[in-house]
mmCIF file of all heavy atoms in Angstrom:
data_model
loop_
_atom_site.group_PDB
_atom_site.id
_atom_site.type_symbol
_atom_site.label_atom_id
_atom_site.label_comp_id
_atom_site.label_asym_id
_atom_site.label_seq_id
_atom_site.Cartn_x
_atom_site.Cartn_y
_atom_site.Cartn_z
ATOM 1 N N ASN N 166 -70.829 -87.473 -46.949
ATOM 2 C CA ASN N 166 -69.894 -87.639 -48.071
ATOM 3 C C ASN N 166 -70.112 -86.675 -49.226
ATOM 4 O O ASN N 166 -69.602 -86.860 -50.292
ATOM 5 C CB ASN N 166 -70.019 -89.072 -48.605
ATOM 6 C CG ASN N 166 -69.564 -90.105 -47.580
ATOM 7 O OD1 ASN N 166 -68.671 -89.924 -46.851
ATOM 8 N ND2 ASN N 166 -70.358 -91.190 -47.435
ATOM 9 N N ARG N 167 -70.964 -85.701 -48.984
ATOM 10 C CA ARG N 167 -71.296 -84.639 -49.918
ATOM 11 C C ARG N 167 -72.093 -85.172 -51.129
ATOM 12 O O ARG N 167 -72.057 -84.596 -52.189
ATOM 13 C CB ARG N 167 -70.111 -83.868 -50.347
ATOM 14 C CG ARG N 167 -69.399 -83.175 -49.179
ATOM 15 C CD ARG N 167 -68.434 -82.101 -49.515
ATOM 16 N NE ARG N 167 -69.168 -81.022 -50.148
ATOM 17 C CZ ARG N 167 -68.618 -80.179 -50.954
ATOM 18 N NH1 ARG N 167 -67.352 -80.258 -51.217
ATOM 19 N NH2 ARG N 167 -69.358 -79.206 -51.515
ATOM 20 N N LYS N 168 -72.813 -86.249 -50.940
ATOM 21 C CA LYS N 168 -73.611 -86.841 -51.954
ATOM 22 C C LYS N 168 -75.098 -86.352 -51.752
ATOM 23 O O LYS N 168 -75.582 -86.483 -50.613
ATOM 24 C CB LYS N 168 -73.588 -88.384 -51.885
ATOM 25 C CG LYS N 168 -74.465 -89.038 -52.955
ATOM 26 C CD LYS N 168 -74.360 -90.568 -52.803
ATOM 27 C CE LYS N 168 -75.250 -91.276 -53.786
ATOM 28 N NZ LYS N 168 -76.664 -91.185 -53.550
ATOM 29 N N SER N 169 -75.706 -85.850 -52.762
ATOM 30 C CA SER N 169 -77.060 -85.383 -52.661
ATOM 31 C C SER N 169 -77.954 -86.604 -52.316
ATOM 32 O O SER N 169 -77.942 -87.656 -53.014
ATOM 33 C CB SER N 169 -77.530 -84.765 -53.947
ATOM 34 O OG SER N 169 -78.883 -84.426 -53.859
ATOM 35 N N VAL N 170 -78.792 -86.441 -51.293
ATOM 36 C CA VAL N 170 -79.768 -87.520 -50.910
ATOM 37 C C VAL N 170 -81.209 -87.108 -51.297
ATOM 38 O O VAL N 170 -81.976 -88.002 -51.524
ATOM 39 C CB VAL N 170 -79.715 -87.968 -49.461
ATOM 40 C CG1 VAL N 170 -78.340 -88.562 -49.114
ATOM 41 C CG2 VAL N 170 -79.947 -86.774 -48.542
ATOM 42 N N ARG N 171 -81.450 -85.811 -51.364
ATOM 43 C CA ARG N 171 -82.865 -85.441 -51.705
ATOM 44 C C ARG N 171 -82.884 -83.984 -52.173
ATOM 45 O O ARG N 171 -82.343 -83.108 -51.560
ATOM 46 C CB ARG N 171 -83.764 -85.531 -50.486
ATOM 47 C CG ARG N 171 -85.185 -85.157 -50.697
ATOM 48 C CD ARG N 171 -85.959 -86.213 -51.555
ATOM 49 N NE ARG N 171 -87.303 -85.912 -51.815
ATOM 50 C CZ ARG N 171 -88.313 -86.526 -51.178
ATOM 51 N NH1 ARG N 171 -88.046 -87.449 -50.255
ATOM 52 N NH2 ARG N 171 -89.514 -86.212 -51.428
ATOM 53 N N THR N 172 -83.524 -83.754 -53.315
ATOM 54 C CA THR N 172 -83.889 -82.409 -53.767
ATOM 55 C C THR N 172 -85.240 -82.179 -53.198
ATOM 56 O O THR N 172 -86.198 -82.865 -53.525
ATOM 57 C CB THR N 172 -83.871 -82.289 -55.313
ATOM 58 O OG1 THR N 172 -82.531 -82.514 -55.714
ATOM 59 C CG2 THR N 172 -84.285 -80.932 -55.726
ATOM 60 N N VAL N 173 -85.368 -81.172 -52.294
ATOM 61 C CA VAL N 173 -86.598 -80.974 -51.569
ATOM 62 C C VAL N 173 -87.507 -79.985 -52.299
ATOM 63 O O VAL N 173 -88.698 -80.239 -52.447
ATOM 64 C CB VAL N 173 -86.289 -80.396 -50.154
ATOM 65 C CG1 VAL N 173 -87.537 -80.138 -49.361
ATOM 66 C CG2 VAL N 173 -85.332 -81.306 -49.390
ATOM 67 N N GLU N 174 -86.911 -78.881 -52.886
ATOM 68 C CA GLU N 174 -87.705 -77.916 -53.649
ATOM 69 C C GLU N 174 -86.868 -77.476 -54.812
ATOM 70 O O GLU N 174 -85.645 -77.340 -54.707
ATOM 71 C CB GLU N 174 -88.075 -76.708 -52.799
ATOM 72 C CG GLU N 174 -89.002 -76.978 -51.644
ATOM 73 C CD GLU N 174 -90.431 -77.199 -52.061
ATOM 74 O OE1 GLU N 174 -90.939 -76.478 -53.027
ATOM 75 O OE2 GLU N 174 -91.102 -78.113 -51.538
ATOM 76 N N LEU N 175 -87.534 -77.170 -55.909
ATOM 77 C CA LEU N 175 -86.885 -76.657 -57.120
ATOM 78 C C LEU N 175 -87.912 -75.732 -57.840
ATOM 79 O O LEU N 175 -88.883 -76.199 -58.353
ATOM 80 C CB LEU N 175 -86.450 -77.823 -58.048
ATOM 81 C CG LEU N 175 -85.718 -77.443 -59.267
ATOM 82 C CD1 LEU N 175 -84.412 -76.734 -58.902
ATOM 83 C CD2 LEU N 175 -85.394 -78.717 -60.099
ATOM 84 N N TRP N 176 -87.603 -74.376 -57.724
ATOM 85 C CA TRP N 176 -88.524 -73.393 -58.307
ATOM 86 C C TRP N 176 -87.771 -72.744 -59.500
ATOM 87 O O TRP N 176 -86.872 -71.936 -59.313
ATOM 88 C CB TRP N 176 -88.907 -72.336 -57.313
ATOM 89 C CG TRP N 176 -89.471 -72.886 -56.042
ATOM 90 C CD1 TRP N 176 -90.048 -74.128 -55.827
ATOM 91 C CD2 TRP N 176 -89.583 -72.191 -54.789
ATOM 92 N NE1 TRP N 176 -90.466 -74.224 -54.490
ATOM 93 C CE2 TRP N 176 -90.169 -73.033 -53.858
ATOM 94 C CE3 TRP N 176 -89.204 -70.958 -54.353
ATOM 95 C CZ2 TRP N 176 -90.478 -72.708 -52.551
ATOM 96 C CZ3 TRP N 176 -89.451 -70.577 -53.050
ATOM 97 C CH2 TRP N 176 -90.083 -71.482 -52.154
ATOM 98 N N VAL N 177 -88.210 -73.052 -60.702
ATOM 99 C CA VAL N 177 -87.634 -72.415 -61.897
ATOM 100 C C VAL N 177 -88.750 -72.139 -62.941
ATOM 101 O O VAL N 177 -89.794 -72.745 -62.822
ATOM 102 C CB VAL N 177 -86.543 -73.276 -62.562
ATOM 103 C CG1 VAL N 177 -85.347 -73.464 -61.715
ATOM 104 C CG2 VAL N 177 -87.103 -74.657 -62.985
ATOM 105 N N GLY N 178 -88.476 -71.201 -63.806
ATOM 106 C CA GLY N 178 -89.471 -70.879 -64.809
ATOM 107 C C GLY N 178 -89.447 -71.853 -65.961
ATOM 108 O O GLY N 178 -90.401 -72.548 -66.265
ATOM 109 N N LYS N 179 -88.295 -71.935 -66.637
ATOM 110 C CA LYS N 179 -88.179 -72.840 -67.767
ATOM 111 C C LYS N 179 -86.875 -73.648 -67.566
ATOM 112 O O LYS N 179 -85.973 -73.245 -66.917
ATOM 113 C CB LYS N 179 -87.953 -72.025 -69.036
ATOM 114 C CG LYS N 179 -89.220 -71.162 -69.449
ATOM 115 C CD LYS N 179 -88.947 -70.373 -70.692
ATOM 116 C CE LYS N 179 -90.179 -69.550 -71.016
ATOM 117 N NZ LYS N 179 -89.904 -68.717 -72.254
ATOM 118 N N ASP N 180 -86.903 -74.814 -68.232
ATOM 119 C CA ASP N 180 -85.777 -75.738 -68.109
ATOM 120 C C ASP N 180 -84.424 -75.067 -68.461
ATOM 121 O O ASP N 180 -83.414 -75.403 -67.832
ATOM 122 C CB ASP N 180 -85.923 -76.929 -69.004
ATOM 123 C CG ASP N 180 -86.878 -77.981 -68.356
ATOM 124 O OD1 ASP N 180 -87.389 -77.704 -67.253
ATOM 125 O OD2 ASP N 180 -87.106 -79.029 -68.972
ATOM 126 N N GLU N 181 -84.416 -74.155 -69.364
ATOM 127 C CA GLU N 181 -83.175 -73.555 -69.782
ATOM 128 C C GLU N 181 -82.519 -72.752 -68.662
ATOM 129 O O GLU N 181 -81.320 -72.463 -68.756
ATOM 130 C CB GLU N 181 -83.407 -72.649 -71.004
ATOM 131 C CG GLU N 181 -84.300 -71.414 -70.674
ATOM 132 C CD GLU N 181 -84.874 -70.751 -71.935
ATOM 133 O OE1 GLU N 181 -85.517 -71.438 -72.762
ATOM 134 O OE2 GLU N 181 -84.639 -69.518 -72.045
ATOM 135 N N TRP N 182 -83.254 -72.428 -67.612
ATOM 136 C CA TRP N 182 -82.681 -71.701 -66.499
ATOM 137 C C TRP N 182 -82.162 -72.573 -65.352
ATOM 138 O O TRP N 182 -81.576 -72.093 -64.425
ATOM 139 C CB TRP N 182 -83.676 -70.675 -65.951
ATOM 140 C CG TRP N 182 -84.078 -69.619 -66.990
ATOM 141 C CD1 TRP N 182 -83.291 -69.109 -67.944
ATOM 142 C CD2 TRP N 182 -85.382 -69.090 -67.216
ATOM 143 N NE1 TRP N 182 -83.985 -68.220 -68.708
ATOM 144 C CE2 TRP N 182 -85.319 -68.207 -68.270
ATOM 145 C CE3 TRP N 182 -86.619 -69.242 -66.543
ATOM 146 C CZ2 TRP N 182 -86.383 -67.453 -68.733
ATOM 147 C CZ3 TRP N 182 -87.634 -68.533 -66.998
ATOM 148 C CH2 TRP N 182 -87.577 -67.646 -68.059
ATOM 149 N N LEU N 183 -82.370 -73.876 -65.481
ATOM 150 C CA LEU N 183 -81.892 -74.767 -64.422
ATOM 151 C C LEU N 183 -80.385 -74.597 -64.184
ATOM 152 O O LEU N 183 -79.908 -74.686 -63.109
ATOM 153 C CB LEU N 183 -82.197 -76.219 -64.808
ATOM 154 C CG LEU N 183 -83.631 -76.683 -64.698
ATOM 155 C CD1 LEU N 183 -83.801 -77.990 -65.348
ATOM 156 C CD2 LEU N 183 -84.066 -76.677 -63.232
ATOM 157 N N LYS N 184 -79.635 -74.380 -65.285
ATOM 158 C CA LYS N 184 -78.138 -74.289 -65.160
ATOM 159 C C LYS N 184 -77.742 -73.012 -64.405
ATOM 160 O O LYS N 184 -76.570 -72.996 -63.859
ATOM 161 C CB LYS N 184 -77.503 -74.279 -66.565
ATOM 162 C CG LYS N 184 -77.675 -75.549 -67.259
ATOM 163 C CD LYS N 184 -77.111 -75.513 -68.690
ATOM 164 C CE LYS N 184 -77.425 -76.835 -69.416
ATOM 165 N NZ LYS N 184 -76.992 -76.773 -70.791
ATOM 166 N N ASP N 185 -78.622 -72.031 -64.202
ATOM 167 C CA ASP N 185 -78.302 -70.888 -63.435
ATOM 168 C C ASP N 185 -78.181 -71.235 -61.967
ATOM 169 O O ASP N 185 -77.538 -70.494 -61.191
ATOM 170 C CB ASP N 185 -79.345 -69.805 -63.601
ATOM 171 C CG ASP N 185 -79.234 -69.114 -65.022
ATOM 172 O OD1 ASP N 185 -78.133 -69.330 -65.639
ATOM 173 O OD2 ASP N 185 -80.225 -68.551 -65.443
ATOM 174 N N LEU N 186 -78.846 -72.329 -61.528
ATOM 175 C CA LEU N 186 -78.663 -72.852 -60.169
ATOM 176 C C LEU N 186 -77.402 -73.707 -60.196
ATOM 177 O O LEU N 186 -77.473 -74.944 -60.140
ATOM 178 C CB LEU N 186 -79.902 -73.607 -59.761
ATOM 179 C CG LEU N 186 -81.186 -72.827 -59.573
ATOM 180 C CD1 LEU N 186 -82.414 -73.650 -59.598
ATOM 181 C CD2 LEU N 186 -81.092 -71.962 -58.332
ATOM 182 N N ARG N 187 -76.233 -73.084 -60.278
ATOM 183 C CA ARG N 187 -75.001 -73.748 -60.601
ATOM 184 C C ARG N 187 -74.625 -74.894 -59.715
ATOM 185 O O ARG N 187 -74.234 -75.964 -60.099
ATOM 186 C CB ARG N 187 -73.889 -72.708 -60.621
ATOM 187 C CG ARG N 187 -73.982 -71.747 -61.764
ATOM 188 C CD ARG N 187 -72.769 -70.804 -61.677
ATOM 189 N NE ARG N 187 -73.115 -69.620 -62.460
ATOM 190 C CZ ARG N 187 -72.634 -68.404 -62.171
ATOM 191 N NH1 ARG N 187 -71.951 -68.167 -61.147
ATOM 192 N NH2 ARG N 187 -73.007 -67.438 -63.009
ATOM 193 N N SER N 188 -74.662 -74.644 -58.399
ATOM 194 C CA SER N 188 -74.241 -75.678 -57.458
ATOM 195 C C SER N 188 -75.155 -76.873 -57.494
ATOM 196 O O SER N 188 -74.708 -78.021 -57.578
ATOM 197 C CB SER N 188 -74.179 -75.089 -56.047
ATOM 198 O OG SER N 188 -73.183 -74.077 -55.942
ATOM 199 N N TRP N 189 -76.450 -76.632 -57.498
ATOM 200 C CA TRP N 189 -77.386 -77.744 -57.546
ATOM 201 C C TRP N 189 -77.314 -78.455 -58.867
ATOM 202 O O TRP N 189 -77.308 -79.662 -58.899
ATOM 203 C CB TRP N 189 -78.800 -77.252 -57.326
ATOM 204 C CG TRP N 189 -79.874 -78.344 -57.519
ATOM 205 C CD1 TRP N 189 -80.245 -79.245 -56.559
ATOM 206 C CD2 TRP N 189 -80.562 -78.631 -58.706
ATOM 207 N NE1 TRP N 189 -81.098 -80.117 -57.147
ATOM 208 C CE2 TRP N 189 -81.303 -79.749 -58.484
ATOM 209 C CE3 TRP N 189 -80.529 -78.107 -60.014
ATOM 210 C CZ2 TRP N 189 -82.127 -80.334 -59.416
ATOM 211 C CZ3 TRP N 189 -81.370 -78.623 -60.962
ATOM 212 C CH2 TRP N 189 -82.171 -79.767 -60.679
ATOM 213 N N TRP N 190 -77.202 -77.725 -59.990
ATOM 214 C CA TRP N 190 -77.133 -78.301 -61.275
ATOM 215 C C TRP N 190 -75.909 -79.275 -61.414
ATOM 216 O O TRP N 190 -76.052 -80.343 -61.895
ATOM 217 C CB TRP N 190 -77.056 -77.194 -62.365
ATOM 218 C CG TRP N 190 -76.894 -77.706 -63.750
ATOM 219 C CD1 TRP N 190 -75.777 -77.695 -64.506
ATOM 220 C CD2 TRP N 190 -77.914 -78.388 -64.510
ATOM 221 N NE1 TRP N 190 -76.023 -78.321 -65.710
ATOM 222 C CE2 TRP N 190 -77.320 -78.704 -65.798
ATOM 223 C CE3 TRP N 190 -79.250 -78.626 -64.351
ATOM 224 C CZ2 TRP N 190 -77.979 -79.309 -66.801
ATOM 225 C CZ3 TRP N 190 -79.939 -79.254 -65.343
ATOM 226 C CH2 TRP N 190 -79.324 -79.590 -66.558
ATOM 227 N N ARG N 191 -74.749 -78.815 -60.919
ATOM 228 C CA ARG N 191 -73.564 -79.612 -61.039
ATOM 229 C C ARG N 191 -73.655 -80.858 -60.158
ATOM 230 O O ARG N 191 -73.035 -81.889 -60.502
ATOM 231 C CB ARG N 191 -72.338 -78.786 -60.607
ATOM 232 C CG ARG N 191 -71.987 -77.709 -61.628
ATOM 233 C CD ARG N 191 -70.854 -76.811 -61.138
ATOM 234 N NE ARG N 191 -70.626 -75.736 -62.063
ATOM 235 C CZ ARG N 191 -70.223 -74.558 -61.691
ATOM 236 N NH1 ARG N 191 -69.901 -74.285 -60.444
ATOM 237 N NH2 ARG N 191 -70.077 -73.620 -62.656
ATOM 238 N N LYS N 192 -74.301 -80.810 -59.038
ATOM 239 C CA LYS N 192 -74.421 -81.930 -58.134
ATOM 240 C C LYS N 192 -75.526 -82.914 -58.602
ATOM 241 O O LYS N 192 -75.313 -84.120 -58.482
ATOM 242 C CB LYS N 192 -74.828 -81.479 -56.710
ATOM 243 C CG LYS N 192 -73.677 -80.995 -55.851
ATOM 244 C CD LYS N 192 -72.998 -82.175 -55.279
ATOM 245 C CE LYS N 192 -72.000 -81.676 -54.255
ATOM 246 N NZ LYS N 192 -71.191 -82.650 -53.719
ATOM 247 N N VAL N 193 -76.633 -82.421 -59.009
ATOM 248 C CA VAL N 193 -77.818 -83.250 -59.201
ATOM 249 C C VAL N 193 -78.475 -83.061 -60.589
ATOM 250 O O VAL N 193 -78.632 -84.071 -61.348
ATOM 251 C CB VAL N 193 -78.909 -82.906 -58.160
ATOM 252 C CG1 VAL N 193 -80.126 -83.799 -58.286
ATOM 253 C CG2 VAL N 193 -78.352 -82.993 -56.740
ATOM 254 N N GLY N 194 -78.837 -81.834 -60.923
ATOM 255 C CA GLY N 194 -79.715 -81.585 -62.109
ATOM 256 C C GLY N 194 -79.258 -82.162 -63.399
ATOM 257 O O GLY N 194 -80.051 -82.779 -64.126
ATOM 258 N N ARG N 195 -77.988 -82.008 -63.711
ATOM 259 C CA ARG N 195 -77.567 -82.529 -65.060
ATOM 260 C C ARG N 195 -77.569 -84.005 -65.190
ATOM 261 O O ARG N 195 -77.405 -84.516 -66.262
ATOM 262 C CB ARG N 195 -76.262 -81.831 -65.417
ATOM 263 C CG ARG N 195 -75.099 -82.300 -64.639
ATOM 264 C CD ARG N 195 -73.780 -81.688 -65.186
ATOM 265 N NE ARG N 195 -72.742 -81.707 -64.179
ATOM 266 C CZ ARG N 195 -71.573 -81.126 -64.339
ATOM 267 N NH1 ARG N 195 -71.357 -80.413 -65.478
ATOM 268 N NH2 ARG N 195 -70.710 -81.173 -63.452
ATOM 269 N N TYR N 196 -77.602 -84.692 -64.062
ATOM 270 C CA TYR N 196 -77.518 -86.131 -64.085
ATOM 271 C C TYR N 196 -78.837 -86.906 -64.015
ATOM 272 O O TYR N 196 -78.907 -88.062 -64.277
ATOM 273 C CB TYR N 196 -76.657 -86.637 -62.901
ATOM 274 C CG TYR N 196 -75.301 -86.103 -62.951
ATOM 275 C CD1 TYR N 196 -74.828 -85.142 -62.002
ATOM 276 C CD2 TYR N 196 -74.354 -86.445 -63.960
ATOM 277 C CE1 TYR N 196 -73.539 -84.680 -62.031
ATOM 278 C CE2 TYR N 196 -73.042 -85.933 -64.004
ATOM 279 C CZ TYR N 196 -72.667 -85.027 -63.028
ATOM 280 O OH TYR N 196 -71.391 -84.482 -63.066
ATOM 281 N N ASP N 197 -79.961 -86.245 -63.651
ATOM 282 C CA ASP N 197 -81.150 -86.959 -63.362
ATOM 283 C C ASP N 197 -82.406 -86.126 -63.903
ATOM 284 O O ASP N 197 -83.061 -85.442 -63.220
ATOM 285 C CB ASP N 197 -81.338 -87.184 -61.869
ATOM 286 C CG ASP N 197 -82.368 -88.188 -61.482
ATOM 287 O OD1 ASP N 197 -83.224 -88.463 -62.350
ATOM 288 O OD2 ASP N 197 -82.308 -88.691 -60.365
ATOM 289 N N ARG N 198 -82.690 -86.341 -65.175
ATOM 290 C CA ARG N 198 -83.819 -85.613 -65.796
ATOM 291 C C ARG N 198 -85.120 -85.981 -65.197
ATOM 292 O O ARG N 198 -86.019 -85.139 -65.001
ATOM 293 C CB ARG N 198 -83.776 -85.970 -67.297
ATOM 294 C CG ARG N 198 -84.795 -85.211 -68.118
ATOM 295 C CD ARG N 198 -84.420 -83.750 -68.109
ATOM 296 N NE ARG N 198 -85.693 -83.014 -67.991
ATOM 297 C CZ ARG N 198 -85.709 -81.669 -67.911
ATOM 298 N NH1 ARG N 198 -84.646 -80.990 -67.991
ATOM 299 N NH2 ARG N 198 -86.806 -81.080 -67.780
ATOM 300 N N GLU N 199 -85.307 -87.268 -64.805
ATOM 301 C CA GLU N 199 -86.611 -87.699 -64.192
ATOM 302 C C GLU N 199 -86.813 -86.949 -62.870
ATOM 303 O O GLU N 199 -87.962 -86.534 -62.577
ATOM 304 C CB GLU N 199 -86.633 -89.199 -63.958
ATOM 305 C CG GLU N 199 -86.878 -89.998 -65.174
ATOM 306 C CD GLU N 199 -86.991 -91.485 -64.952
ATOM 307 O OE1 GLU N 199 -87.407 -91.819 -63.828
ATOM 308 O OE2 GLU N 199 -86.707 -92.273 -65.868
#
Side-chain angles (χ1 to χ4, degrees):
N166 297 319
R167 300 197 64 203
K168 180 181 179 286
S169 175
V170 295
R171 181 71 180 258
T172 297
V173 180
E174 294 286 320
L175 184 59
W176 305 342
V177 294
K179 296 181 181 177
D180 282 1
E181 65 196 56
W182 298 324
L183 286 168
K184 293 177 185 175
D185 289 341
L186 293 162
R187 292 181 198 147
S188 296
W189 174 84
W190 177 255
R191 290 175 185 148
K192 278 279 191 186
V193 182
R195 68 175 159 188
Y196 300 111
D197 195 341
R198 185 66 222 179
E199 283 184 28

